Amino acid sequence: MELFNITIKEANKLLNEKQITSEELVETFISRIENVDKKIKAYITIDENQALKDGKKADKGIDVNSPLKGVPLAVKDNICTKDLKTTCASKMLEDFIPPYDATVVKKLKDCGAVVLGKTNLDEFAMGSTGKNSVFFRTKNPWNLNRTPGGSSGGSAAAVAAGECVFALGSDTGGSVRQPASFCGVVGLKPTYGRISRFGLTAYASSLDQIGPITKDVTDCAIVMEAISGQDPKDATSSEMPISEFQKSLQCDVKGLKIGIIEEYFTDKIDENVKQAVIAAAKVLEDQGAYCDKVSFSHINKAPWAYRAIALAEAASNMARYDGIRFGYRAEKYEDLVDLYKKSRGEGFGNEVKKRILLGTYLSDFDEKGYYLKAQKVRTLLINEFKEKFKEYDLIIAPTTHTVAYEIGQSIDSTTAHIEDMCTTPANLAGLPAISIPCGFSKGLPIGLQIIGKPFDESTVLRAAYTFEQLTDYHRKHPVIEEE
Amino acid sequence: MQLTKETLEQLADTSRVYLKEEEKDKILKEINQMLTQIRNLEEVETDVLPTIDFTPDKVGFREDIVQKSLSLEEVFRNAPDEYEDFFRVPKIIED
């Protein structure tokens, strides 16, 4: 096996046995980035010098006992890193250097993990293909003509291409799970409140959650243990005790009741994706789980509610970019109001402007009350999940209705609706949901989504781990010709 | 009903986003498409209360303890324009 395909657990073993140093590990990934990132374009910023310094520091024996000590990672470029540019892939923050670390980054650094750099995304995490990055498009490591998905496309591509051991992403409507699915890696959106969002650039605050993107489920559990927990700097972070997620890594689903959402199995879903998800359910059933089709009458309405809520919240969150205290300021303006308008008009890309404008309409101009209606639909969906979870321990679904799109392929409103129908329900209901590789179609990965009860990431991880132990999709890696 | 160019201009003014004349038509068309999707909400029967807060436990208030804050140097490092210890903005008070 190539060293760049190493997992956290494997890296930890090599480091503990002194078969390799952290500095050498960092050098391996810097070299891999140099060799393939011209093709993949996963990174916006590479922090080579600091990463090498931090690698040396980890080797000298910082006083911490963590499997992440000396392990290199990549961070989505909407998560603040002290003294390292955090651009949100926007002209607005092109030169922004945060004076502090996001809580998740601080926690990982405290474990001795080494930040290699910052990964590409759709501008301010608004998009699902990566096309909205102001800098460049990231390519899918499995096929350079395909999108890695989005908005955490850079993080998922970096993990799949062996340009880091693991990465952090953020998920507002599927932005960790969909790219993880498209790139054939593991991505978890934890329960709302499980992880502090302090230092994450806010998009839609009642939906946003940070999540790990890793090469397997074991690594996902390791990162979750390191980054979960209540944070005084994020009032929405929960006081629920942090579970020992690694203890849930047992190959045992005997007696688990699993519902398969039948609304996803229409002719709108790629036949190979359908078959892969059904086959995955069969794998769990063969291990003693009880799988049954379950109907969600409101799931097809989730994308409409998601849009209204996300856009209204986005319009409010984006108001902070005014060209005064930080961020882009227009060169020419007439007065203060004109300074605001020109800075925002020039600093934001087309998609961000659209979402601010429509979000403002939904917040302020809309006489029909779509935002309120959306929050009622959200209640219906939450109630429906509560009801189903009385009977079932887990719900499974495809992560995406298709494999990765071709770059430049136009996505019509029907396709966007089905895509959002797969991923947004977990955000609207605040539930933990993981995507794990469960097959291939046309040489491109397919993702299985496992959704759990609030704060029951442990059962989600147990089922994901069981599936992983019985299959080898997660061991397959894309072949990228090095330069 | 579709949003008109006039409404778009009001929205741009309210949200302090300058739109070039040549980008208005494209943005208007695209946000009307997005709004068409959202309008589907009208057909949903919703005899329930809206979701306001679904954090599972109480809001995490913390003790009001004085802590070290950012230095002025850190605060101003990203400022587009500053003068001494202030962010500088265009004049807003008439002579």
Side-chain angles (χ1 to χ4, degrees):
Chain A
M1 188 190 78
E2 298 282 3
L3 192 55
F4 51 73
N5 285 326
I6 201 166
T7 64
I8 297 170
K9 196 179 172 186
E10 291 161 347
N12 182 241
K13 187 167 180 283
L14 293 182
L15 287 164
N16 281 344
E17 291 171 353
K18 307 215 181 298
Q19 291 190 46
I20 192 169
T21 65
S22 174
E23 189 183 3
E24 285 165 349
L25 205 51
V26 172
E27 281 168 354
T28 301
F29 284 98
I30 296 288
S31 156
R32 176 69 172 169
I33 292 166
E34 278 170 6
N35 290 335
V36 300
D37 206 53
K38 275 187 193 133
K39 285 182 179 166
I40 306 296
K41 296 173 105 51
Y43 283 89
I44 292 174
T45 306
I46 300 155
D47 198 13
E48 183 178 344
N49 292 338
Q50 189 60 44
L52 285 166
K53 272 188 211 163
D54 291 345
K56 273 185 201 162
K57 205 168 116 189
D59 288 330
K60 279 186 187 157
I62 40 173
D63 188 21
V64 55
N65 182 21
S66 165
L68 292 162
K69 186 161 86 175
V71 176
L73 77 138
V75 179
K76 186 178 181 181
D77 210 18
N78 63 346
I79 299 173
C80 284
T81 41
K82 186 172 165 45
D83 300 331
L84 181 61
K85 257 198 313 187
T86 298
T87 69
C88 289
S90 177
K91 184 177 174 183
M92 182 58 84
L93 294 179
E94 198 171 356
D95 300 313
F96 176 65
I97 301 172
Y100 59 86
D101 275 323
T103 296
V104 284
V105 173
K106 183 170 185 311
K107 283 187 170 197
L108 290 171
K109 284 184 179 173
D110 288 348
C111 289
V114 178
V115 175
L116 287 168
K118 306 299 292 288
T119 51
N120 200 17
L121 65 153
D122 286 285
E123 185 177 3
F124 283 101
M126 297 180 188
S128 62
T129 61
K131 73 170 182 174
N132 299 328
S133 167
V134 78
F135 301 120
F136 45 77
R137 290 198 75 150
T138 300
K139 309 286 173 60
N140 190 315
W142 291 92
N143 181 334
L144 301 180
N145 297 318
R146 302 272 173 161
T147 167
S151 63
S152 312
S155 285
V159 174
E163 294 186 66
C164 58
V165 182
F166 72 102
L168 291 178
S170 67
D171 191 317
T172 304
S175 284
V176 161
R177 289 160 288 151
Q178 185 253 33
S181 171
F182 281 1
C183 293
V185 292
V186 173
L188 173 69
K189 184 205 85 72
T191 310
Y192 187 82
R194 180 57 103 179
I195 293 173
S196 165
R197 285 104 47 90
F198 176 75
L200 167 70
T201 307
Y203 162 20
S205 303
S206 78
L207 303 162
D208 296 338
Q209 187 53 250
I210 291 171
I213 298 178
T214 57
K215 290 170 187 166
D216 66 15
V217 177
T218 301
D219 281 7
C220 181
I222 293 171
V223 180
M224 279 299 291
E225 273 186 29
I227 63 176
S228 297
Q230 204 267 337
D231 176 13
K233 290 175 177 167
D234 176 0
T236 63
S237 63
S238 170
E239 291 176 354
M240 290 284 278
I242 305 168
S243 309
E244 292 178 79
F245 297 114
Q246 288 180 73
K247 285 196 175 158
S248 57
L249 301 175
Q250 293 169 25
C251 193
D252 175 20
V253 290
K254 209 169 177 188
L256 275 188
K257 286 191 168 178
I258 301 174
I260 309 165
I261 305 181
E262 67 180 1
E263 279 72 16
Y264 294 127
F265 293 87
T266 66
D267 59 358
K268 303 275 191 322
I269 301 229
D270 184 307
E271 190 55 35
N272 292 335
V273 171
K274 263 192 250 180
Q275 294 309 324
V277 172
I278 289 166
K282 181 80 174 48
V283 169
L284 296 173
E285 212 166 31
D286 288 346
Q287 296 301 306
Y290 169 77
C291 294
D292 195 9
K293 280 200 176 170
V294 56
S295 175
F296 276 73
S297 56
H298 300 297
I299 212 128
N300 63 335
K301 293 141 195 154
W304 308 326
Y306 166 77
R307 288 260 156 188
I309 293 165
L311 267 51
E313 291 183 9
S316 170
N317 276 324
M318 302 309 284
R320 73 195 62 179
Y321 304 102
D322 58 4
I324 304 294
R325 292 153 302 145
F326 63 98
Y328 176 79
R329 181 184 285 195
E331 282 180 18
K332 289 180 186 169
Y333 46 84
E334 288 169 11
D335 53 24
L336 184 65
V337 171
D338 199 42
L339 182 156
Y340 295 147
K341 287 183 178 174
K342 296 270 172 58
S343 300
R344 290 162 64 78
E346 294 167 18
F348 291 134
N350 183 56
E351 187 64 31
V352 177
K353 281 193 255 191
K354 269 168 25 189
R355 295 192 191 202
I356 291 172
L357 292 163
L358 192 49
T360 303
Y361 174 80
L362 294 164
S363 307
D364 199 16
F365 284 59
D366 162 34
E367 288 167 2
K368 297 250 184 184
Y370 291 121
Y371 179 77
L372 193 64
K373 188 81 174 169
Q375 293 288 21
K376 289 181 179 176
V377 172
R378 186 178 197 173
T379 302
L380 291 173
L381 195 66
I382 291 171
N383 290 346
E384 198 161 30
F385 270 109
K386 273 185 191 160
E387 202 53 42
K388 303 296 181 202
F389 277 131
K390 284 181 188 164
E391 197 179 339
Y392 297 95
D393 300 296
L394 295 168
I395 303 288
I396 66 172
T399 308
T400 54
H401 67 288
T402 173
V403 291
Y405 308 115
E406 280 181 28
I407 287 177
Q409 181 183 332
S410 68
I411 297 165
D412 60 31
S413 58
T414 312
T415 307
H417 183 83
I418 298 163
E419 181 179 284
D420 285 350
M421 207 173 114
C422 291
T423 50
T424 61
N427 300 84
L428 288 164
L431 303 171
I434 200 169
S435 177
I436 56 171
C438 74
F440 287 86
S441 173
K442 302 170 202 155
L444 293 162
I446 298 170
L448 170 71
Q449 186 175 203
I450 307 174
I451 305 169
K453 298 173 187 172
F455 294 96
D456 191 17
E457 283 87 357
S458 293
T459 308
V460 172
L461 289 166
R462 177 151 65 98
Y465 181 78
T466 302
F467 179 79
E468 204 179 67
Q469 292 305 300
L470 299 161
T471 56
D472 65 352
Y473 303 114
H474 64 291
R475 292 200 186 89
K476 297 192 187 303
H477 302 288
V479 179
I480 308 156
E481 276 182 45
E482 295 199 350
E483 292 193 350
Chain B
M1 197 181 75
Q2 298 277 290
L3 300 187
T4 61
K5 199 166 176 180
E6 192 189 353
T7 308
L8 178 76
E9 283 163 354
Q10 285 173 355
L11 289 170
D13 188 51
T14 303
S15 55
R16 304 286 193 244
V17 174
Y18 176 78
L19 296 179
K20 288 182 199 152
E21 204 50 47
E22 60 266 29
E23 66 184 332
K24 286 180 186 170
D25 286 344
K26 183 172 183 274
I27 284 185
L28 183 62
K29 187 178 159 207
E30 289 173 357
I31 69 171
N32 268 322
Q33 283 168 350
M34 288 159 89
L35 190 56
T36 303
Q37 292 297 312
I38 291 167
R39 286 206 167 102
N40 286 311
L41 285 167
E42 282 180 45
E43 67 188 56
V44 189
E45 288 273 344
T46 50
D47 191 18
V48 288
L49 292 171
T51 298
I52 296 168
D53 176 15
F54 74 139
T55 42
D57 41 29
K58 63 182 167 50
V59 172
F61 288 117
R62 61 177 162 78
E63 292 301 313
D64 188 16
I65 301 165
V66 178
Q67 293 177 39
K68 189 173 165 278
S69 60
L70 296 173
S71 67
L72 284 175
E73 190 194 339
E74 288 170 312
V75 169
F76 286 113
R77 186 165 64 181
N78 289 289
D81 192 8
E82 86 253 32
Y83 175 71
E84 295 182 345
D85 291 348
F86 300 96
F87 296 106
R88 186 150 56 187
V89 296
K91 195 172 174 182
I92 51 171
I93 301 168
E94 299 292 328
D95 289 324

